[in-house]
Amino acid sequence: MVLAALCLCFLQKSLQPIAKVATPMIDELSGIAKSRQYKNTYWVHNDSGDSARIFAIHLDGTLIQPNQPSYEGIKLEGATNFDWEDIAIEGKTLYVSDCGDNLNFRKDQCVYVLPEPDPTKVTSVANVKKIRIAYPDKTPTSEWRYDCESLMVSKGRLYFITKWRKNQKKKSPDTGASIYSLEKPSYSGVNTLKKLDTKTDLGGWVTAADISPDGKRLALLTQAPEQSVWLFDMTKGGDIFHHPIKQIKFTNAKQCEALCWDSPTSLIIANEQSELFRVDLQ
């Protein structure tokens, strides 16, 4: 199927930060999700190399925490941060994606599931569940197309968008991506994902994505060689990449790694340098 030409394309020349996360504990921000039950609360986490912990922040970059001096984030008991790349939320449940695969060898990619804690009262979460995943088309000789930095959840269904590489060189981006889904996650055994669609010309590799709270639109973030946000229509069926709404190109946001819906008409982007940006969609 040939992808129809975009009817709308906006160029936003340069983004300016609206805030920077104020704590040195968040030193390589890799995922962001907006709480549905706590006002002005956004969940974030670090990339690989950190312990299994999450943080809550306000949009001005300040940390939300219990009143104690030794706070080091909210620990996810029983979890491991091998390569955490995204965080998603639905209702009162958080989903943390340990699906990064920079070297194309992992067989243990998973998603941690936990009830959203009260960030003003909690320093650890004990009842963390684990969803193990596998790709239906990945083989020992597969191309480098199974690194995943984008997790979304809508109506109980999990979606994953892969980040392609041209070859074994770690920093060689490809502009394509595939989207997979998991309709009925199981906490026992390995869940094989369903491949929904592929697009080869996104302009940059995919580093984050989020589905609008009403389930109608998918926002997708590309980083290199072209920085942009794509919007896709989720109401047309499984071939989501064949239903673009618009692409918004931008510059000056450094290493963009995280994205979430902030309102029906705006997104929040975060980079590894812990800066926060707002992108208006109108």
Side-chain angles (χ1 to χ4, degrees):
M1 183 182 294
V2 178
L3 180 64
L6 286 176
C7 59
L8 292 173
C9 181
F10 298 97
L11 176 61
Q12 186 166 335
K13 292 184 178 181
S14 179
L15 293 184
Q16 299 299 321
I18 60 172
K20 184 169 183 176
V21 180
T23 172
M25 290 187 291
I26 304 173
D27 58 3
E28 193 177 356
L29 196 155
S30 187
I32 187 168
K34 183 180 181 180
S35 175
R36 305 288 188 259
Q37 64 174 327
Y38 299 112
K39 186 177 180 180
N40 190 21
T41 298
Y42 299 77
W43 292 100
V44 299
H45 61 80
N46 285 314
D47 206 329
S48 57
D50 196 17
S51 59
R53 60 180 178 171
I54 58 177
F55 304 88
I57 62 170
H58 292 304
L59 202 53
D60 64 0
T62 55
L63 188 66
I64 305 171
Q65 66 178 87
N67 186 20
Q68 55 177 296
S70 59
Y71 179 75
E72 295 182 352
I74 298 176
K75 178 182 178 182
L76 275 57
E77 296 184 11
T80 301
N81 183 347
F82 186 89
D83 193 358
W84 287 11
E85 291 292 357
D86 206 359
I87 185 169
I89 192 166
E90 185 169 54
K92 298 180 180 180
T93 302
L94 288 172
Y95 300 79
V96 180
S97 173
D98 191 350
C99 293
D101 190 10
N102 291 341
L103 300 179
N104 204 44
F105 71 92
R106 290 189 66 184
K107 297 180 180 180
D108 60 347
Q109 288 162 294
C110 67
V111 176
Y112 294 108
V113 184
L114 62 146
E116 183 182 15
D118 183 340
T120 66
K121 298 178 180 179
V122 172
T123 59
S124 67
V125 178
N127 51 336
V128 178
K129 298 179 180 180
K130 183 177 181 178
I131 299 171
R132 298 173 63 195
I133 68 160
Y135 294 94
D137 48 351
K138 185 177 182 179
T139 69
T141 58
S142 291
E143 297 183 45
W144 288 47
R145 295 183 173 182
Y146 300 93
D147 186 13
C148 177
E149 298 193 3
S150 305
L151 170 70
M152 304 83 70
V153 185
S154 182
K155 300 178 182 178
R157 189 174 188 178
L158 277 62
Y159 295 84
F160 304 80
I161 300 178
T162 56
K163 174 183 176 182
W164 287 10
R165 303 176 189 276
K166 289 182 179 178
N167 51 44
Q168 297 183 8
K169 294 181 180 179
K170 185 177 180 181
K171 296 186 180 300
S172 181
D174 198 333
T175 61
S178 294
I179 182 167
Y180 300 80
S181 71
L182 179 57
E183 187 170 359
K184 296 180 179 180
S186 171
Y187 297 112
S188 62
V190 177
N191 296 264
T192 300
L193 306 181
K194 178 182 178 181
K195 190 173 185 178
L196 298 179
D197 203 7
T198 292
K199 181 167 168 51
T200 60
D201 56 347
L202 288 163
W205 59 10
V206 179
T207 57
D210 195 20
I211 295 174
S212 58
D214 63 9
K216 294 181 178 181
R217 291 175 294 169
L218 165 66
L220 181 151
L221 176 68
T222 67
Q223 164 57 31
E226 181 178 273
Q227 291 185 320
S228 73
V229 169
W230 288 80
L231 295 183
F232 294 93
D233 190 339
M234 293 284 293
T235 68
K236 302 294 186 180
D239 55 344
I240 298 165
F241 287 154
H242 288 78
H243 303 287
I245 299 171
K246 68 174 66 172
Q247 182 189 18
I248 302 171
K249 300 179 182 180
F250 60 86
T251 60
N252 198 44
K254 301 178 183 176
Q255 183 68 31
C256 297
E257 291 288 334
L259 170 148
C260 71
W261 286 88
D262 192 45
S263 76
T265 60
S266 66
L267 302 168
I268 297 299
I269 291 175
N271 61 22
E272 284 189 345
Q273 294 76 27
S274 298
E275 294 173 319
L276 304 175
F277 305 84
R278 177 177 280 109
V279 176
D280 293 322
L281 303 178
Q282 292 182 322

